[in-house]
Amino acid sequence: MKQNKFLWGGAIAANQCEGAWKEGGKGASVIDIFPAGKQRFRAMSDLREAMNTDYGYYPSHEGIDFYHRYKEDIALFAELGFRALRISISWPRIFPNGEDEYPNEEGLRFYDRIFAELKRYGIEPVVTINHFDTPLALVKKYGGWRDRRVVEAYERYCRVIFERYKDYVTYWITINEINMVLHIPSMGAGLVFEEGEKEASVKYQAAHYQLVASAGAIKIGREINPDFQFGCMLAAGEVYPNTCNPNDVLESQRKNRDNYFFIDVQARGYYPSYSRRIFEELGVSIDITKEDRKLLAENTVDYISFSYYSSRLTSADQDLMKEATAGNAFASLPNPYLQKSAWGWAIDPVGLRITMNALYDRYQKPLFIVENGLGAADQVLDDGTIADDYRIEYLKAHIEQMKEAMKDGVELIGYLVWGCIDLVSASTGEMSKRYGFIYVDRQDDGTGTMKRIKKKSFEWYKDVIAQDLEMLDERGI
Ligand code: BGP
């Protein structure tokens, strides 16, 4: 790895912050047809219905207006001392219809400006190629990632951005939270299902095409710049057994494998042996060619990136599992040892250490935490300040456990706080589920001035990074 400084920073994604959904020649993305509030879950679970419904207000259309305010926002990230910023490139900003003959020059120029701005401050970009942003045109034409032609379109898009940004970007992430295809297939893969078909087959077929596309991107990327570093990206969080009943333990192992499945392929280059039984039991048969297997084998990732918000809890007792609630898209039983966030996500800093050790034991490749954070309903006080002590407490506890995992021997590239500036929530479409060090005056109904205000956690995180820098200076790094 060229980087020897630990990459402290933050993470955002185009679909949740840029807005300007029709500006600069941008085409629509699948996220652009998801409304906010209660209707969002329904829209996400039935893309066909979502495509034919006018919901009126769509939070992604304006986002937090990062498209126009990126200079101000990046200046704030620089003030925080960020060494890295994770962004995503919006595929339909580059190819408005996903597979146009020529890329959209105005879209490319937007990211030229972003990378130039980051370079000005010495901030390393970490770039997700596809973060819940499949072009809507490909969803309409092919039903999303269920069709191999989307792989070709993705690879063309990759070639264009690799050529264009090869001197700016080292760290690429091929597909955000690749395991999301099994949980929220509309958002993760733009999947449109046909009446009466076996959904599991469609999901695993789409998953296979995403895995192939990811390997294809790595192949193309390494030809263009051998210094590129490629990561897969997992929505992580260990699944614990509810009791020491071996059946519960077995069930937790099975659920963990549902997620590891993807990373097993991306890190090792072949389908894990247990996948045969999963496919058999689900009655899934998918198209995997000899060429696909070769491509997967020859193009494994350099590092394992992941998001971590919470651990999960499962049981083999199906009746008990009726009490499970969906946190971060994953159903979990309530863990009596853990507090929950206001959105019901279990807060488990030690779970981060467990997850990191589990991933490192399994793959022995460097890890990269590219999302961690607390969604909370911050209030602006009468004096205009925001006292988000709960966020400081959450992050502090997770950073402590992250350091413990590093002492355990885990190799870690960096730590990026999700939604370092408030942005639209992916699952709920709310603005009120805030993660940032920087408050954005934008409300759930689309009102607000978009003004940026530093929260209390801003100074705290700035100190965390500054102290680490002093330590590195002392060591002469
Ligand atoms: C991850 C996504 C992000 C982000 C985060 C928080 O699943 O990669 O895009 O949104 O979760 O989730 P939410 O926005 O639903 O609170």
Side-chain angles (χ1 to χ4, degrees):
M1 299 264 151
K2 85 171 196 185
Q3 187 73 35
N4 54 11
K5 267 189 193 165
F6 188 76
L7 292 179
W8 290 102
I12 55 177
N15 79 86
Q16 287 158 270
C17 73
E18 282 181 9
W21 78 298
K22 276 191 168 165
E23 266 179 71
K26 180 184 174 295
S29 147
V30 68
I31 206 89
D32 292 325
I33 62 166
F34 295 149
K38 287 199 185 91
Q39 291 164 306
R40 189 173 181 92
F41 287 102
R42 213 178 136 150
M44 289 197 305
S45 60
D46 187 349
L47 258 187
R48 203 178 289 281
E49 181 177 309
M51 282 192 283
N52 292 309
T53 309
D54 180 359
Y55 298 102
Y57 174 63
Y58 296 89
S60 67
H61 292 191
E62 286 90 31
I64 56 158
D65 198 28
F66 182 75
Y67 187 78
H68 297 109
R69 294 166 197 251
Y70 69 90
K71 279 198 178 172
E72 181 192 346
D73 294 343
I74 292 175
L76 286 165
F77 299 148
E79 194 183 328
L80 275 157
F82 277 14
R83 292 181 203 150
L85 178 72
R86 174 176 175 228
I87 61 161
S88 71
I89 293 179
S90 163
W91 180 354
R93 206 177 271 298
I94 309 302
F95 284 101
N97 298 295
E99 51 178 3
D100 312 61
E101 196 177 347
Y102 299 105
N104 171 32
E105 182 56 30
E106 222 181 316
L108 288 167
R109 265 194 233 124
F110 171 63
Y111 297 104
D112 284 341
R113 294 196 291 274
I114 298 276
F115 292 132
E117 203 64 14
L118 291 176
K119 193 169 179 185
R120 196 154 87 83
Y121 293 109
I123 299 174
E124 180 86 39
V126 177
V127 179
T128 313
I129 300 169
N130 187 14
H131 191 133
F132 303 155
D133 226 342
T134 300
L136 188 59
L138 298 180
V139 174
K140 288 186 173 159
K141 201 165 165 190
Y142 301 127
W145 280 87
R146 58 185 293 147
D147 193 303
R148 199 182 268 276
R149 283 169 291 187
V150 177
V151 178
E152 286 159 36
Y154 174 88
E155 288 180 354
R156 276 189 62 221
Y157 156 56
C158 285
R159 189 175 291 281
V160 166
I161 59 173
F162 292 161
E163 289 284 3
R164 180 82 170 212
Y165 307 123
K166 61 175 181 286
D167 299 327
Y168 284 109
V169 182
T170 299
Y171 293 96
W172 298 95
I173 294 171
T174 52
I175 291 174
N176 182 59
E177 294 188 335
I178 192 161
N179 48 330
M180 212 45 101
V181 61
L182 299 182
H183 305 279
I184 312 183
S186 57
M187 199 154 74
L191 286 189
V192 183
F193 297 105
E194 302 297 334
E195 190 109 353
E197 72 184 345
K198 193 182 272 289
E199 293 195 0
S201 283
V202 181
K203 286 183 195 169
Y204 276 105
Q205 185 67 69
H208 176 67
Y209 290 148
Q210 290 199 334
L211 292 167
V212 169
S214 173
I218 296 174
K219 182 172 194 279
I220 296 166
R222 287 188 181 138
E223 279 160 18
I224 292 172
N225 183 349
D227 290 336
F228 280 170
Q229 294 291 313
F230 283 98
C232 50
M233 202 298 199
L234 175 75
E238 281 294 291
V239 185
Y240 303 152
N242 191 41
T243 69
C244 49
N245 180 331
N247 290 326
D248 284 350
V249 177
L250 193 69
E251 181 60 14
S252 72
Q253 186 180 56
R254 194 185 66 74
K255 290 238 168 77
N256 279 317
R257 279 176 164 177
D258 279 351
N259 296 315
Y260 288 141
F261 163 83
F262 296 87
I263 310 307
D264 283 355
V265 178
Q266 290 178 294
R268 297 170 174 162
Y270 54 89
Y271 273 74
S273 51
Y274 61 80
S275 64
R276 220 169 295 138
R277 183 159 185 182
I278 295 182
F279 288 170
E280 252 167 47
E281 287 182 359
L282 289 170
V284 163
S285 88
I286 59 173
D287 153 45
I288 306 181
T289 66
K290 237 193 188 158
E291 293 73 38
D292 290 348
R293 291 196 195 276
K294 185 165 183 284
L295 190 73
L296 293 173
E298 289 173 356
N299 299 282
T300 53
V301 293
D302 300 298
Y303 63 93
I304 316 286
S305 82
F306 64 97
S307 60
Y308 177 83
Y309 294 93
S310 69
S311 55
R312 298 144 202 166
L313 187 62
T314 198
S315 164
D317 178 343
Q318 289 313 307
D319 279 341
L320 188 63
M321 281 310 282
K322 288 185 190 136
E323 286 167 30
T325 50
N328 188 12
F330 301 89
S332 174
L333 290 169
N335 186 329
Y337 297 96
L338 303 175
Q339 305 278 319
K340 282 181 177 175
S341 79
W343 271 263
W345 295 14
I347 299 175
D348 183 7
V350 176
L352 174 60
R353 180 175 175 188
I354 295 169
T355 300
M356 288 174 71
N357 275 291
L359 286 169
Y360 197 67
D361 279 355
R362 199 168 176 109
Y363 304 115
Q364 284 106 43
K365 296 204 182 205
L367 305 185
F368 198 167
I369 301 172
V370 297
E371 287 187 30
N372 176 232
L374 178 70
D378 300 325
Q379 298 305 326
V380 184
L381 302 176
D382 289 345
D383 63 359
T385 61
I386 298 128
D388 57 341
D389 296 84
Y390 38 86
R391 179 165 296 107
I392 296 174
E393 201 186 310
Y394 176 101
L395 295 173
K396 207 173 169 183
H398 283 76
I399 290 172
E400 264 167 31
Q401 292 302 320
M402 166 186 95
K403 289 186 174 164
E404 290 300 321
M406 291 167 84
K407 283 188 207 155
D408 293 336
V410 172
E411 197 182 339
L412 188 67
I413 299 170
Y415 175 77
L416 309 180
V417 173
W418 172 252
C420 44
I421 180 166
D422 292 350
L423 37 64
V424 178
S425 156
S427 58
T428 70
E430 293 165 305
M431 270 306 301
S432 53
K433 192 179 186 191
R434 298 174 182 277
Y435 286 87
F437 301 117
I438 302 156
Y439 182 91
V440 176
D441 178 22
R442 172 85 169 171
Q443 311 308 324
D444 288 344
D445 59 0
T447 58
T449 60
M450 295 279 191
K451 188 178 163 204
R452 277 54 171 155
I453 310 168
K454 293 176 201 170
K455 302 180 195 174
K456 188 172 177 186
S457 57
F458 187 99
E459 289 306 322
W460 171 81
Y461 196 50
K462 187 176 165 181
D463 268 5
V464 169
I465 302 176
Q467 278 169 22
D468 185 74
L469 195 61
E470 275 170 31
M471 203 178 72
L472 290 177
D473 279 349
E474 278 164 24
R475 286 201 249 136
I477 295 173

